[in-house]
Amino acid sequence: MNEKAPKIMMEVKNINLRFGGVVAIQGVSFDIHEGEIRAIIGPNGAGKSSMLNVINGFYHPQEGEIWFDGQKRPSMEPYEVAKTGIARTFQNIALFKGMTTIENVMTGRQLQMNKNIFWQMLRYGPAIEEEVQHRKRCEEIIDFLEINHIRKTPVGSLPYGLQKRVELARALAMEPNLLLLDEPMAGMNVEEKQDMSRFIVEVNEEFGTTIALIEHDMAVVMDLADRVVVLDYGKLLADGTPKEVQSNQAVIDAYLGVPH
Amino acid sequence: MFYKETGQFKSRYKDELAAFPLFEDKIGIGILCVLTFLVIPMFGLPGLNYEFAMGAIMIPCMVFIIMTLGLNILLGFAGQISLGTGAFSGVGAYAFYKFITIFPDINIIIALVLSGLVSAVVGVIFGLPSLKIKGFYLIVATLAAQFFLTWAFIRVAWLYNYNASGAIEGPNKEMFGIIMIGPQSAGMTRYYFVLVTLIVLTWLASNVIRGRIGRSWMMIRDMDIAAELIGIRPLVAKLSAFAFSSFYIGIAGALMVFFWLGAAEAESFDINHSFLYLFMVIIGGLGSITGSYMGAIFVWVVPVLIKEIGKSVFGFDAFVMENFSTILLGAMIIIILILEPHGLARLWQITKQKLRLWPFPY
């Protein structure tokens, strides 16, 4: 990535987000290059998830600009952001609990499906062809993430690690340009973390998907990420390669604390 | 079940996505069709008077199944709770009445679809609050629809053509040379008409639910934030659920008045009926088409049967049995909900699961 000038996929400029008197994000700017894995780290309450919510359109920052694909993005609702090719997983799993794994993955295809209500009612001709075609794509993703065996299990009854994987599958089914992962490895054991790391790398390499992830496990972050952003109390603390960040005194202070 | 999916391999996704992928299920549906199309119209139900079986059990059951399907789409699949069902069914019934009196030559099927559409529009209008509020507050908003519409059914005399009784009454009306509705219509024709309508509507509902639109409803139900993130517009998903649901409820309302009761006043669409339909959905099982069938049949047939048995076997008088059946039904509802909060559909599923292993459960 470093040899030629990388293409900037997304850039946030001077974001300020306040909830009443509480300042969640204060003048944060960083960019995400196309094809990289970008990590956002920071202590609890640093504003990492809020940052993702801003990118997603859940929160509308009071000040600041978001540039996506070289264009300034107007204030958008989450469903409009989804159309621009940004997918996301959540910190605390947000699967559709009443549906099976395959149905959950199929929901990721919603935007690509467009046959109208009359075809849907008949479930014949174009509607069923569309359904089959997207089902095939979903099965590929299910294969890729090795969750074939739970294809028809309601996701509510799955163990935590698998639920996280189904959530990743659902996000991948959207075939996003930019994939936001909010603590993909939270609450996992070592083996599950290894699996998840492998999937993240493979997604990045095989599909060329740009990934921005929030993670607390530093070993994972330092291994996976191409570049790291560090936030603390809503402010940008450091930005650079894992090595640079690791040796940054401000970051060490924020994580270990400094004597007052 | 005494049969399983073992050995029935599908080599195409299309086959797997079929309504009844299992061969045995197809046989089961075939048997049900033979029963409802041939056996029951010919012999009635065992142990019951033929007229009674058709007029008080079969036709109302089918009407209520359509009603329950409609409410289940809204409540069970889209997760939007409504207590305005009775009123929306009334909209369908009054619309049908207006259509067949204003245009006496209109085809009944067209009038039925149109009245469903009118009900859908009204449903969307009263569904608008769902965009801002959820749960209990939405109930209150739909209650407003219930009270306002029943008020309109009494006060707006134009709706019942200014007749003195204030009731809507089906005139004799033909379709393809057969009298379909009105006092002179045969029970048999009405039975077949309702049956075919039910089958068509069930088929359409199951198609929509398994497709893109049905999934968007379930997404909104299960996790609205994630749904929005995947690109679902809550406005479209919620209002389409209201429209689809009210369409069904409106058609059921029209069928109820003109193919079963023959005449009705505003009381047939009051809040008690809304509760009745809600019970049917909850007891049958939220988010299940089979559950809609079971719930409607259970809630309607059990009290009727209790009354009949009490009168003919034990010789109690009708008034005593009326109250007794209400008490008994209430008790049964409580017991079922304690045993299985997800309703009869889940109970049925569990039974099937157990039967798979039976008689060697380990």
Side-chain angles (χ1 to χ4, degrees):
Chain A
M1 291 275 8
N2 294 333
E3 303 91 54
K4 54 182 179 182
K7 189 175 170 244
I8 292 172
M9 169 170 261
M10 166 162 277
E11 193 171 10
V12 291
K13 287 181 184 167
N14 199 23
I15 298 284
N16 275 292
L17 178 70
R18 289 184 295 271
F19 300 106
V22 182
V23 182
I25 301 176
Q26 215 177 337
V28 171
S29 318
F30 63 88
D31 56 3
I32 300 173
H33 295 168
E34 194 165 304
E36 76 171 344
I37 297 182
R38 183 74 143 136
I40 304 174
I41 62 170
N44 287 326
K48 307 181 297 292
S49 291
S50 298
M51 196 65 233
L52 286 201
N53 283 337
V54 166
I55 296 178
N56 265 142
F58 275 121
Y59 296 157
H60 299 285
Q62 277 79 6
E63 287 153 44
E65 295 173 356
I66 298 172
W67 288 66
F68 187 65
D69 266 344
Q71 283 169 347
K72 188 176 174 222
R73 197 175 83 180
S75 177
M76 278 182 166
E77 290 302 313
Y79 64 84
E80 294 169 314
V81 174
K83 281 182 195 150
T84 62
I86 298 180
R88 160 166 191 193
T89 68
F90 287 82
Q91 186 175 355
N92 37 3
I93 297 166
L95 285 170
F96 305 118
K97 295 231 159 38
M99 301 158 86
T100 61
T101 300
I102 180 73
E103 282 173 330
N104 263 285
V105 180
M106 282 292 280
T107 60
R109 309 294 298 178
Q110 288 291 66
L111 277 179
Q112 276 103 323
M113 301 175 81
N114 55 11
K115 295 293 171 286
N116 66 25
I117 179 95
F118 295 102
W119 283 119
Q120 297 279 334
M121 280 166 89
L122 297 176
R123 205 179 167 76
Y124 184 76
I128 190 79
E129 272 164 28
E130 182 183 50
E131 189 89 6
V132 168
Q133 171 201 338
H134 288 289
R135 173 74 185 262
K136 270 186 195 142
R137 189 75 197 95
C138 287
E139 294 284 354
E140 281 166 29
I141 289 161
I142 284 179
D143 264 353
F144 178 75
L145 292 177
E146 296 163 18
I147 44 178
N148 325 43
H149 56 296
I150 51 163
R151 191 187 280 121
K152 294 208 172 143
T153 320
V155 290
S157 61
L158 291 175
Y160 184 80
L162 283 178
Q163 289 198 8
K164 282 263 182 198
R165 220 187 281 179
V166 176
E167 212 186 354
L168 179 61
R170 185 182 68 187
L172 284 183
M174 290 174 71
E175 296 185 354
N177 303 320
L178 174 61
L179 179 60
L180 309 173
L181 304 173
D182 197 347
E183 301 203 16
M185 276 156 252
M188 285 186 166
N189 62 31
V190 176
E191 201 175 326
E192 286 170 332
K193 275 184 189 176
Q194 285 173 348
D195 280 345
M196 190 52 102
S197 307
R198 180 164 60 86
F199 289 131
I200 291 174
V201 172
E202 277 180 21
V203 167
N204 181 245
E205 284 177 358
E206 279 197 25
F207 301 146
T209 312
T210 311
I211 295 173
L213 65 94
I214 294 177
E215 187 48 56
H216 279 300
D217 188 323
M218 282 310 126
V220 170
V221 170
M222 296 307 159
D223 271 356
L224 286 184
D226 295 320
R227 293 189 306 150
V228 182
V229 179
V230 190
L231 299 181
D232 190 25
Y233 294 112
K235 286 185 193 145
L236 188 78
L237 213 55
D239 185 353
T241 61
K243 231 179 215 141
E244 289 165 15
V245 167
Q246 254 173 328
S247 52
N248 185 319
Q249 190 57 42
V251 176
I252 297 170
D253 289 349
Y255 268 89
L256 298 179
V258 275
H260 292 288
Chain B
M1 219 52 192
F2 46 86
Y3 60 86
K4 310 180 184 181
E5 64 277 15
T6 319
Q8 300 193 20
F9 300 110
K10 308 281 182 247
S11 51
R12 297 185 309 164
Y13 287 123
K14 203 170 170 178
D15 297 335
E16 210 199 328
L17 293 170
F20 303 105
L22 293 191
F23 179 66
E24 285 87 349
D25 280 341
K26 284 182 194 147
I27 297 180
I29 293 299
I31 294 174
L32 269 183
C33 281
V34 171
L35 275 178
T36 48
F37 272 100
L38 295 173
V39 180
I40 291 176
M42 270 158 81
F43 305 107
L45 295 169
L48 290 170
N49 173 303
Y50 180 80
E51 286 300 315
F52 179 80
M54 299 301 275
I57 292 187
M58 289 310 291
I59 295 181
C61 261
M62 293 190 294
V63 169
F64 288 140
I65 291 169
I66 299 176
M67 200 82 84
T68 314
L69 269 179
L71 185 56
N72 215 338
I73 286 169
L74 188 66
L75 182 58
F77 287 98
Q80 308 298 313
I81 192 158
S82 157
L83 268 182
T85 325
F88 295 143
S89 73
V91 172
Y94 279 92
F96 187 79
Y97 180 68
K98 290 307 286 185
F99 280 125
I100 57 173
T101 46
I102 294 174
F103 312 103
D105 296 326
I106 196 170
N107 185 308
I108 286 184
I109 296 173
I110 293 172
L112 205 58
V113 172
L114 284 177
S115 50
L117 290 177
V118 171
S119 178
V121 170
V122 175
V124 167
I125 293 169
F126 284 101
L128 282 173
S130 73
L131 302 177
K132 279 283 169 206
I133 50 182
K134 289 178 192 171
F136 291 118
Y137 306 98
L138 184 58
I139 301 185
V140 176
T142 53
L143 263 183
Q146 174 69 46
F147 288 125
F148 170 73
L149 288 169
T150 34
W151 172 86
F153 295 151
I154 296 170
R155 295 292 164 199
V156 184
W158 174 79
L159 285 174
Y160 46 88
N161 287 355
Y162 305 98
N163 63 15
S165 66
I168 48 172
E169 211 175 289
N172 288 319
K173 206 170 140 28
E174 290 184 357
M175 186 173 78
F176 310 130
I178 308 164
I179 300 174
M180 296 302 288
I181 58 171
Q184 283 174 15
S185 61
M188 193 82 91
T189 30
R190 284 184 279 133
Y191 172 82
Y192 277 118
F193 188 88
V194 177
L195 179 61
V196 172
T197 316
L198 171 66
I199 291 172
V200 170
L201 288 181
T202 308
W203 178 65
L204 294 181
S206 88
N207 285 345
V208 170
I209 283 160
R210 287 177 299 145
R212 169 177 67 91
I213 293 167
R215 271 197 297 274
S216 76
W217 295 337
M218 288 188 264
M219 289 161 85
I220 286 285
R221 171 194 70 188
D222 284 348
M223 188 70 71
D224 49 359
I225 292 177
E228 225 179 315
L229 202 109
I230 293 177
I232 301 294
R233 294 184 66 181
L235 176 106
V236 175
K238 285 180 180 173
L239 292 187
S240 67
F242 264 98
F244 212 74
S245 151
S246 304
F247 179 76
Y248 272 54
I249 291 168
I251 285 184
L255 290 177
M256 178 171 93
V257 175
F258 297 97
F259 287 82
W260 172 41
L261 297 171
E265 290 173 52
E267 280 120 65
S268 304
F269 315 112
D270 63 3
I271 181 110
N272 289 332
H273 284 80
S274 294
F275 278 120
L276 182 74
Y277 307 142
L278 193 63
F279 291 155
M280 288 174 177
V281 171
I282 291 174
I283 288 167
L286 292 171
S288 156
I289 288 186
T290 338
S292 306
Y293 273 70
M294 293 183 187
I297 293 172
F298 183 85
V299 173
W300 180 252
V301 173
V302 167
V304 172
L305 282 186
I306 293 173
K307 269 184 258 179
E308 270 310 294
I309 292 168
K311 269 190 283 186
S312 54
V313 180
F314 299 106
F316 293 125
D317 73 54
F319 188 67
V320 173
M321 284 320 293
E322 180 78 46
N323 290 320
F324 183 64
S325 72
T326 316
I327 295 170
L328 212 62
L329 179 72
M332 285 170 113
I333 291 175
I334 292 171
I335 291 169
I336 289 180
L337 290 185
I338 289 173
L339 280 178
E340 185 48 71
H342 296 286
L344 292 170
R346 182 64 68 85
L347 219 52
W348 171 237
Q349 234 176 12
I350 292 171
T351 320
K352 278 208 292 195
Q353 275 300 323
K354 290 205 167 143
L355 275 175
R356 278 166 73 96
L357 300 173
W358 188 85
F360 305 112
Y362 300 104

